[in-house]
Every structure is written in structure tokens, then in C-alpha cells.
Amino acid sequence: MTTVAFLGTGTMGAPMVSNLLGAGFDVRVWNRSQDKAAPLRAEGAVVADTPAEAAHNADVLVTMLLDTEATARAGGEAVEVLGPESVWVQMGTIGLEGMDRVRQLAQGVSLVDAPVLGTRSPAEQGTLTVLAAADPEVRPTVQPLLDTVGQRTMWVGEDVTLASGTRLKLAVNSWVLTLTNAVGESLALSRHLGLDPNLFLEAIDGSATDSPYAHLKGSAVLNDRLAPAFTVRGAGKDASLIREAAGDSLNLDLIRAAGERFRRAEEAGYADSDMAAAYFASFVPSTSTEPE
């Protein structure tokens, strides 16, 4: 039985752990807020007090934490007690500089760059898409785990130092964050023009411009179903990571605008709502064209 140390049992991590337990993995979990990890004990997980306790001699370490700082703190403590044949699977979205820090912390432990596409519902259903990069010799060790949490693994690179999985995740997230804001703006404009905003979704339904995602996020706004699949705060963080990766040589006007809208929505009190709540940024006066 493969022993997995899983750090981060929030919106995404907890259902991923449930799927691993259901598939017969021996899972030890840690989360900074223990109340989010405690329910997994009833499913068979061992709930650890520290990252090191979870990771001691584990076969696979998984980090599924919100940002670079959380990943570096917990992963750095955990990696010190892993065995020589252990593998660290980094699945959170932490950007290129974050992956640089993780590689420095790995200290010779085999590393897999494996961020995922999907939110809470795909995580619950085990239908995430994993964007992975790793040495081919490491892949057989982690493939059963990846097959359990996802319906598809895209191996996009063999040299983990290039962080190809993370690079692709940033490109995809640029599309997702931009589309989220485009839907919100169209709904807001419809309302501003005196229309029922549901008419916008009806108008695009079945057309070449239609998108299931537009209906998903649009309906969430119009029906006030903003329990987070992914939060405004998290989306703003990802927008910053995308801009950081682009640097000064590539103009990403849409992601800059998306980041500004997430900032305004967060300041308006929607930080922990679903990122569809960026819709409300249309009704909050802008105090700057770009956040510092």
C-alpha cells in the first residue's frame, strides 16, 4: 500500500484525499486549519499535527496549498523526513518562482510538477486534469495516484526544472480568469442597459460563441450561488502569478484587467466568494487602473 502525505485539505485537497482513501491509499493529512482536516479521519485518514508528522517515511508527498509561502513552509518541513525513494508531487498553483523554491527545497527528492485543472466539483468526482512534468523513471510511481484524483494526465515535459506543467497551467488560467470576467461584464452591462441579464445567456445559448462555462458562472451570479469552487482571493493570486510569469516583455492587457476586477471585488467583501463574484467589480468605482 502506498503511503501518501497530503498537505492541504481545503476546497480542492479534501475531496482529492477522499478519492485516494476510497482507492485504498494509506493517507496522512495535514492542514494549517485542523478543522478542515478532521472530518477526513472518519474516512480513514490519519490527521497529523505537523507536516513532518504526516510526511515521515511516506512514499509520496503531495502539496495542494494556496500559495508559494504556504507550500514552502509546509513542504520544506516535510521533505526533511521523507525517505530516499520518496517522490514530491506539487499540485497547487504557485507559479514559476514558486516552483523554483520547491526545487531548491526538494534536496534530491524526486519532484513532479503537477498542477491540476478543475475546481471543487471535478475534485469531488475525481475528474480533474493533471498537467504533469517529471523524469519518465518517476512517472510509474505516481501514475496510480494521479489516475485516482484525475480523469486525465497530460505529461507535458520530462525535465522538471522547466516547470512545463506550471507553465501550461498559467496559460490555461489566463483563459479561465479572462472568461470569468467577460461573463460578469456582459451580465452587468445587460442589467445596466435595463435588460434581464438572463437574456444574455439565452442569446448565446447554442451559438458559436456559447460556452458551458459562461452558463455555469453566469447562473452562479444570477442565482446568488457563490459558495466557492475557487475564490476571488485565489483568482487574484493566480492573476498575479500569470503577470509575474509574463514579465515586462509580454503585454497581457486582459489578465491585468482581470486582476484589477478581482481586487475590487475582494475589497467589496467578496474575497471568499466564488470568483464569479468578480461580476460585482462592475458596480464598484475603480480607484486605480492597476493595483500596486
Side-chain angles (χ1 to χ4, degrees), residues 32-266:
R32 185 180 63 176
S33 302
Q34 285 236 346
D35 59 312
K36 293 183 178 180
L40 294 165
R41 185 180 286 113
E43 299 181 37
V46 174
V47 179
D49 291 326
T50 66
E53 181 182 335
H56 184 69
N57 286 334
D59 299 305
V60 179
L61 168 67
V62 176
T63 46
M64 189 64 186
L65 296 152
L66 178 63
D67 55 26
T68 296
E69 290 306 317
T71 302
R73 283 196 301 270
E77 181 180 334
V79 76
E80 294 182 357
V81 296
L82 291 175
E85 303 301 320
S86 300
V87 180
W88 182 352
V89 183
Q90 204 307 106
M91 305 193 79
T93 304
I94 60 174
L96 298 181
E97 291 187 10
M99 279 304 299
D100 284 342
R101 289 187 63 180
V102 165
R103 285 196 300 273
Q104 293 167 11
L105 290 168
Q107 300 178 3
V109 170
S110 296
L111 182 62
V112 180
D113 173 31
V116 298
L117 299 182
T119 53
R120 180 177 57 193
S121 180
E124 292 170 346
Q125 297 165 11
T127 57
L128 297 165
T129 297
V130 183
L131 309 177
D135 188 313
E137 293 185 1
V138 175
R139 296 179 186 183
T141 300
V142 299
Q143 193 67 65
L145 182 151
L146 301 182
D147 289 343
T148 299
V149 301
Q151 67 177 351
R152 180 168 65 128
T153 299
M154 286 183 62
W155 288 105
V156 297
E158 298 184 357
D159 184 354
V160 75
T161 65
L162 299 178
S164 299
T166 288
R167 291 174 189 272
L168 183 55
K169 176 64 187 293
L170 294 176
V172 173
N173 271 16
S174 181
W175 162 249
V176 171
L177 302 186
T178 300
L179 183 56
T180 299
N181 279 283
V183 172
E185 281 201 347
S186 294
L187 294 174
L189 179 61
S190 298
R191 177 158 283 161
H192 178 74
L193 296 176
L195 298 170
D196 176 351
N198 284 287
L199 292 173
F200 162 71
L201 296 178
E202 290 182 29
I204 66 171
D205 189 28
S207 72
T209 60
D210 197 8
S211 161
Y213 189 80
H215 293 276
L216 177 68
K217 292 305 181 186
S219 296
V221 168
L222 298 178
N223 295 292
D224 195 27
R225 294 197 302 263
L226 295 174
F230 190 60
T231 66
V232 166
R233 190 195 313 274
K237 178 265 298 183
D238 283 3
S240 296
L241 291 176
I242 294 165
R243 290 177 54 194
E244 176 186 280
D248 297 328
S249 60
L250 184 66
N251 293 320
L252 297 180
D253 300 319
L254 296 179
I255 205 63
R256 286 176 180 271
E260 167 67 6
R261 288 177 61 81
F262 289 128
R263 182 189 68 80
R264 293 205 307 273
E266 184 170 347

